[in-house]
Amino acid sequence: MATTPTALITGASSGLGTEFARQLASRGAGLVLVARDTAALDRLAGALRVAHGVDAEVLSADLTDPAGLDAVASRVADAERPIEVLVNNAGFGLDLDFAANDIADEQRHLDLHVGATMRLSHAALGAMLARGHGRIINVASVAAFMPRGTYGAVKGWVVSFSRWANAVYGPRGVTVTAICPGFTHTNFHERLGLAPGEEGVPPFMWLDADQVVREGLRDAARGKAVSIPSLRYKVLIGAMRLLPAPLAARLAKTGR
Ligand code: NAP
C-alpha cells in the first residue's frame, strides 16, 4: 500500500500534463508519468524527485496503440499500487477542415481523446470504487460548448461523460471532473504547425497552464463535474450559450 496518494497523468511530457505533475508533486503526490517522449518524462521525473522528494515512475506509451493503452490500463487498475488520481490529459489537434483531413489522423484523434479516456476511466473506476475513493480528471476544452469540427465533438463527449459519471459515482466516493480550458500557452498550437501569434486570438484570451491546472485541481477537489478556468472564459461560455446557433458557429471560427 502506498503511503502517499499516487496520480497517473497522461500527456505528462509537455504543457498542461507537465503542470499537473508539478502541482500534484508539490502537494506530495507520487506520480506515474505517461506519454511517448521517454526522454522528456525521465527529465521531468528526475526534477520532481529532487524538488519534492516524491516517487515518480515513467511509463512510456502511445495511447493510440492498443498495446500501449493496455499497459497503461493495467497500471491504472493495479490494486497493489493504487492510483488515487487519474488525469486523462493527452491530446492533440487537427485542422478543423474535417473533409480535408487524413482519415487515419482523424481516427487517432478519436482514439486518443475518446477511446483512451473511456478505457482508462473504466480501469480506474473498477479499482477506485472497490476502495471507495478516487478522483478522475478529464481535460476537455471550451470547444466542447461550440461547433468546432471533430475537436469540439470529442471534447463534447468528454464533458457529457464526466457530468454523467460524476453524478453516478460521486456519491460512491469517486469524483469525475471535466476541466475545460480556453486558449492556453502550451505546445498544442505549435504542434499544429502554428507559430506563436499566428492564431488570430487576442492576447487577453490566452491563459497560463499554471492557472488552468490550479483552478482545475481546486474544482476537482470540490467534486465539480465541470470546471471552466478563469472568470473571462466562464463569462464567455455563459454568454455563448445564449446566442443563436448560427452566430455561435461564426464566433467559434476564431483561432485554431
Ligand atoms: P501539448 O503541450 O501539445 O501536450 C500534449 C501532450 O499529449 C504531450 O505530453 C504529448 O506527449 C501527449 N500525447 C499526444 N499524443 C499522444 C499519444 N498518442 N499517446 C500518449 N500521449 C500523447 O498540449 P496541451 O495543451 O498541454 O494539451 C493537453 C490537453 O489540453 C489536450 O487534451 C488538449 O486537447 C487540451 N486543451 C488544450 C488547450 C490549449 O489551448 N493548449 C485548450 C483546451 C484544451 P508525447 O508527444 O510525448 O506523446
Side-chain angles (χ1 to χ4, degrees):
M1 195 59 183
T3 49
T4 53
T6 300
L8 184 145
I9 302 160
T10 71
S13 62
S14 170
L16 289 168
T18 296
E19 188 58 29
F20 274 109
R22 284 198 194 110
Q23 291 194 24
L24 287 165
S26 76
R27 298 168 190 199
L31 300 168
V32 183
L33 305 174
V34 179
R36 293 165 302 182
D37 185 341
T38 312
L41 295 180
D42 282 337
R43 277 195 302 277
L44 179 63
L48 295 179
R49 283 183 205 117
V50 170
H52 304 290
V54 296
D55 288 339
E57 187 183 324
V58 166
L59 179 49
S60 314
D62 181 342
L63 293 169
T64 64
D65 169 50
L69 186 54
D70 279 351
V72 180
S74 298
R75 179 64 189 87
V76 168
D78 188 343
E80 300 296 311
R81 297 178 297 159
I83 298 297
E84 181 65 13
V85 182
L86 166 66
V87 185
N88 283 308
N89 163 77
F92 67 95
L94 289 173
D95 199 288
L96 288 175
D97 187 349
F98 169 68
N101 288 342
D102 186 317
I103 194 61
D105 291 338
E106 286 283 354
Q107 186 65 55
R108 285 191 310 111
H109 183 254
L110 183 67
D111 289 348
L112 183 59
H113 290 276
V114 176
T117 300
M118 179 184 71
R119 176 76 191 282
L120 299 183
S121 296
H122 189 264
L125 281 166
M128 290 174 178
L129 290 171
R131 291 196 296 274
H133 52 87
R135 191 167 294 168
I136 299 175
I137 294 171
N138 295 321
V139 179
S141 166
V142 292
F145 306 110
M146 56 188 82
R148 244 175 122 67
T150 50
Y151 186 69
V154 295
K155 295 303 193 183
W157 185 94
V158 173
V159 169
S160 176
F161 171 71
S162 302
R163 275 192 210 281
W164 170 83
N166 194 53
V168 172
Y169 301 118
R172 293 171 60 187
V174 181
T175 60
V176 183
T177 303
I179 299 179
C180 302
F183 292 104
T184 307
H185 294 293
T186 65
N187 288 316
F188 184 90
H189 303 88
E190 284 77 359
R191 284 185 198 225
L192 264 169
L194 296 166
E198 231 183 18
E199 283 283 6
V201 178
F204 80 92
M205 297 275 287
W206 285 93
L207 301 172
D208 286 329
D210 167 69
Q211 179 184 5
V212 168
V213 170
R214 202 169 3 90
E215 293 189 21
L217 287 175
R218 184 200 59 202
D219 288 343
R222 291 175 178 168
K224 283 192 173 186
V226 177
S227 166
I228 300 178
S230 84
L231 180 60
R232 81 201 86 143
Y233 275 101
K234 281 185 183 67
V235 170
L236 198 76
I237 296 306
M240 212 152 171
R241 282 171 169 157
L242 304 175
L243 291 178
L247 186 53
R250 271 227 308 281
L251 285 178
K253 285 184 183 154
T254 308
R256 191 44 212 86

